[in-house]
Amino acid sequence: SFYREINSQRSLGIEIEKLLGVKKVFVVESGIEHSETVKNLGAQAASIFETIISEGDLIGVTGGETIYCVSESITSKVDRLDVTVIPARGSVGSQARFQANTIASRIANKLNAKLQLLPIPETVSKQAMEIFLSDSEMREAYEMLKSLDVLLFGIGRADVMLARRGINEEKSSEVLNCGAVSEAFGNYFNLKGERVYSQESVGISLDKFLSIPKIIGVAGGVEKAQAIISISTLRPDMVLVIDESAAHEIIKEV
Ligand code: G3H
């Protein structure tokens, strides 16, 4: 039955690859609790992540519970002094352990890799940004985001990310009324992957997001199906890691 399970997850993966046009889709078992699901996603994504990094890579990582679970599952078999880990965006939300900075530092520790922090909130005023960038070390960190080789990112729902950023209700409903279902680096997209709203944010730009060579997207749960569909249209060349419940919901939606 173990093999039957693996087989059914593989065939689900193939089905989603065809439906979304995404290069490689891995499907993991869904848990009864969301915490179980993200653990399974983390284990799968961590092993993929460990195999795709190569010498000299500059690796960007996002925050969130999902990527936190990936960081938990990373095992360090070899020292990777030759790679650098950097948060792909500033701080958002109130949970320290789910911050991109925290997760980048955990991953760098586990791999014994170099770490570059981005000690700045994700949403800042223009003046604060100018001051930040006037510091040469901080400027260098910011510039590094433009040359990422790898991106490990959690796919987020538009409504959840609006709330996490503390956007007021009026603005939030305006964005959601435009059809926003997903979010990536301050950009909000509809189901077709069209950008319907963007917000000044400290992190990689949309152009960069579209051109990072190696990219792994991770998301699970029925509630993330639309966000996964939306982001898949932007990066069909990504490696996508989802769970069975998200896969079944995607099949219903597409
Ligand atoms: O950056 C966060 C992602 O958009 C999703 O967050 O893993 O907590 O659901 P999550």
Side-chain angles (χ1 to χ4, degrees), residues 102-176:
T102 316
I103 293 170
S105 126
R106 279 185 72 80
I107 294 178
N109 259 323
K110 284 205 167 174
L111 299 175
N112 197 16
K114 283 174 270 193
L115 168 71
Q116 175 61 62
L117 288 177
L118 200 61
I120 185 171
E122 195 207 37
T123 314
V124 291
S125 68
K126 271 220 154 65
Q127 292 121 293
M129 194 61 197
E130 268 167 35
I131 294 168
F132 175 80
L133 292 178
S134 69
D135 179 89
S136 61
E137 200 182 315
M138 292 300 103
R139 181 160 194 97
E140 210 176 294
Y142 200 64
E143 287 298 316
M144 281 169 85
L145 290 180
K146 295 181 184 157
S147 45
L148 294 183
D149 300 295
V150 180
L151 175 68
L152 173 63
F153 80 111
I155 298 173
R157 286 171 60 104
D159 56 352
V160 172
M161 295 310 288
L162 285 161
R164 229 178 253 180
R165 293 210 172 96
I167 306 296
N168 69 42
E169 219 173 299
E170 198 186 328
K171 188 78 220 172
S172 290
S173 4
E174 191 188 313
V175 177
L176 296 173

Side-chain angles (χ1 to χ4, degrees), residues 62-67 89 154-157 161 164 183 224:
T62 66
E65 186 187 8
T66 317
I67 302 303
R89 62 179 183 209
I155 298 173
R157 286 171 60 104
M161 295 310 288
R164 229 178 253 180
E183 185 274 348
K224 285 215 180 157

Side-chain angles (χ1 to χ4, degrees), residues 7-73:
N7 261 331
S8 85
Q9 283 158 1
R10 188 60 214 125
S11 39
L12 257 181
I14 293 168
E15 195 172 351
I16 302 297
E17 282 164 12
K18 288 193 188 126
L19 274 177
L20 300 182
V22 170
K23 193 173 83 184
K24 192 82 199 158
V25 180
F26 288 87
V27 178
V28 303
E29 191 180 352
S30 303
I32 296 164
E33 305 272 344
H34 184 68
S35 59
E36 242 176 280
T37 301
V38 281
K39 245 193 195 155
N40 296 342
L41 290 168
Q44 178 66 266
S47 77
I48 297 165
F49 174 73
E50 285 174 74
T51 62
I52 72 156
I53 49 179
S54 49
E55 203 178 325
D57 274 350
L58 179 56
I59 302 163
V61 300
T62 66
E65 186 187 8
T66 317
I67 302 303
Y68 168 80
C69 286
V70 181
S71 75
E72 286 275 279
S73 279

